[in-house]
Each structure stands twice: as C-alpha cells, then as structure tokens.
Amino acid sequence: MLGTILGISSAQYSIMAKSTPTIANVPTSIISGFLGVGKTTAIRNLLSQRPKNERWAVLVNEFGEVGVDASLIATGTSTGKEVFLREVPGGCMCCTNGLPMQMALNQLLARARPHRLLIEPTGLGHLEEVIWTLSSGFNQKTLQLNAVITLVDARMLNQDRYLENDTFVQQIAYADIIIGNKYDLYEPEDENRLLTFSAHQCGSEIKVIFSEQGRFDLDLLNSPSRFIEPCPPRHNHQNPVETQLNELAIPDSGYVVASNAGVGFVSSGFRFDSRFLFDISRLRLMLNGLDFERFKGVFRTTDGAKILNLAGGVLTELSVPYCEESRCEALGEKLPDDFTAELFTCLASTGEK
C-alpha cells in the first residue's frame, strides 16, 4: 500500500527498505566539563584524528540561546563532508531542552548515519541526567555509550566557588575518564590536588590523564563506561523551547540578541549578518577589560575571520579562513549592564543598507 502511494511497486519498496539498515549501537562519547575548560578545542582535536573512511557526528548543547560552539568547530576545523554538526542551545539538554534535544539527536543520526557520535553538553549541564537520557529509552538501542570523559582545569580546585558548585562536582563524580586539561599552566600542587579530589569523588580506579590544549589519544573514546544501567534523573525543571533562535532568519536590522538565565548564571548571545564588520583591535580592548566567566565568538573583522575565546581571564585568538556571520555569547553570574552597547562600539561598519 505504501509503495503504491509513493508511486513504486511493493517489491521496489521492500528492496529500498532493506537497503537502509537500522541505526543501532553507534559508539557515543560524552565530552563533559565546566565552563571554559576546553571541551570545544578537545573535540576539534579529536576530529583532526578521525579516520578518513569514517563519518562522525557532533551534537553540541549550549546554555545560551545563540549557539556558538558548533560554529567554532565548523569554522576552525576542516570538517569536510564526513563530519555532521548539530547544536541545541538554550540550556541543559537533559531538562530544559528534553524534546528538542531528542529531535535534534534523531535528525542528526538519520542524516549522518555516523560511525561515531560525540556529544558536548553545556558546561552548566547535569552530567548524571545527561547520562541517563543517553542510556535509556530509545537511545539505549541506538547508542553505545562509551566512557564519559570530563575535562577539568585543576587550578579551579583551589577556589571555593567551584568546589561548592554541585554541577562542577557532579561532572567529576560521574566521569569514567578525567582529563586534567591546560596542564602547561599548572603549578606543581595542582596535579596532586586533582588526583586527590578525583579519587575522593570517583574512587582510585578512575583514570586521570593530563593534557595540553585538549589533546588526548583517540583510543580513549573506545574505553567502556560504568554507566550501563540507566538511573532516574533527579532534576525535572522543564522549560519547553519554541523554534530555536539559530533556525530563524536574521531580521532586516541585521542582528538579533537573546538572553538566558538559570543555575545562578546569565547569558547574552548575538548574531550579526555579513553586513557587519568588527574592528579586531576594539574587540581585544573591550574583552581584556571585562570580567566574564566565559566569552566566546566567531567574528568577521577588519583582519579576517577570528575566533575569540575568553576563559579564566585569558583571551585567546585564532584566525580562520571564513565565517558566514558573526556570533558570540557572554556568560557569567552577572553581566555588565552596558555590555551590548560596548559590543556595538567595536563595529567597524554598522550593517546599514
């Protein structure tokens, strides 16, 4: 009957159905970690090690309403036709974006039919619930959850605001492998502090590896996970999301601004179409004078396309070949009231027609 409706014979439909294998047991790795620890950089490094005969998919979840990380991955990496990206902005994927996340995941898997899936939850996400979401229900058959990898900047462990943050502690406690990232910036006591803290939270059997700039061996993705049986989530704060901001056309003004708030943090995100050009010197000056928990963006500038990343008070800059539009996100416990105005002073051209 269905074959007749589609204009093909039943025999042809049967052959087509058999030629499309079921998506099952896709090797899946969660790349977790708190704000600014280097998750996106780590994923870009992993993509650079991808075997040429494999298709990979990456699902990026962000706290802010304007997704930036997927753009940073696509802009800063030669992903080619064998890497498929999808982003789910607007909050933790396990609660705020439950249904949109599952839809995005299903669409990504159907489009990519990947040999491997990488998932980057927001740095403010609840890792326990993310694991539960990916290891239960329909996902239990579709995905093969491998080791949960958590990146940690051990320098954070001497600050009470991190040690008292339940999200930060949970991301370590529910890791299968801990990557002590930014190792080149550590003081001698930082390494031992991370080893002691991770043993207390996870047990001494948990592997701890130290890394610079998010570089670690691809083989870690094949390590097994402790989290085979799903456990019920403890968070249940639903906040349905309508059409995602990144899927909307930019209005005639040439830009769009959106905000989000939750778990003690606020964010402001911006999208600017190609008419807007930023002065890179003004951007550097502005960002070096601001105290954010995190700022990240990809910009069309007077000096070409640039990725700017402010984390831990350190601003890094990377030149990239091209970006179609400028996107950025500022995140912190509180943002300056005049931040939007400050950002607009960094424009070299207004975008007016």
Side-chain angles (χ1 to χ4, degrees), residues 42 114 149 193 208-209 213 229 245 260 269 276 293 314 318 337:
I149 298 174
R193 187 179 289 118
V208 179
I209 297 169
Q213 300 179 352
E229 296 297 329
L245 190 64
N260 193 14
F276 285 81
E293 184 73 29
V314 178
L318 176 67
D337 294 334

Side-chain angles (χ1 to χ4, degrees), residues 20-24 26-27 47 50 53-59 79-86 103-118 142-143:
T20 306
T22 302
I23 300 174
V26 177
L47 291 174
R50 175 186 60 85
N53 61 338
E54 290 187 1
R55 294 184 307 279
W56 284 24
V58 182
L59 182 68
T79 54
K81 297 181 179 179
E82 300 302 315
V83 176
F84 300 79
L85 304 173
R86 185 66 190 262
M103 292 175 61
L105 176 58
N106 292 346
Q107 292 168 0
L108 177 62
L109 292 174
R111 180 166 60 98
R113 307 191 72 82
H115 297 91
R116 188 178 297 278
L117 171 66
L118 304 180
T142 306
L143 307 179

Side-chain angles (χ1 to χ4, degrees), residues 33-35 39 60-69 87-93 95-97 120-126 167 171 237 239 241 245-246 258-269 293-294 296 328-335:
F34 208 68
L35 301 170
K39 298 186 297 297
V60 179
N61 170 222
E62 295 195 61
F63 177 83
E65 296 290 345
V66 175
V68 176
D69 282 350
E87 57 193 354
V88 184
C92 178
M93 65 193 298
C95 42
T96 307
N97 278 325
E120 179 192 343
T122 168
L124 295 175
H126 311 107
T167 300
Q171 290 171 353
H237 46 283
N239 180 19
V241 177
L245 190 64
N246 288 341
S259 300
N260 193 14
V263 293
F265 287 83
V266 295
S267 71
S268 288
E293 184 73 29
R294 185 75 197 281
K296 53 190 173 183
C328 64
E329 193 93 43
L331 191 151
E333 296 179 357
K334 183 180 179 181
L335 300 181

Side-chain angles (χ1 to χ4, degrees), residues 236-248:
N236 188 27
H237 46 283
Q238 298 294 327
N239 180 19
V241 177
E242 298 177 356
T243 303
Q244 292 182 7
L245 190 64
N246 288 341
E247 298 174 356
L248 298 176

Side-chain angles (χ1 to χ4, degrees), residues 127-128 131 148 170-176 202 226-227 234:
L127 184 55
E128 178 186 2
I131 294 168
V148 177
Q170 188 190 90
Q171 290 171 353
I172 296 175
Y174 281 84
D176 291 304
C202 313
R226 296 178 290 159
F227 306 101
R234 293 182 297 183

Side-chain angles (χ1 to χ4, degrees), residues 44-45 47 69-79 298 307 318-323:
R44 287 169 49 198
N45 287 331
L47 291 174
D69 282 350
S71 297
L72 300 186
I73 293 171
T75 304
T77 310
S78 299
T79 54
V298 54
I307 290 176
L318 176 67
S319 296
V320 291
Y322 173 77
C323 67

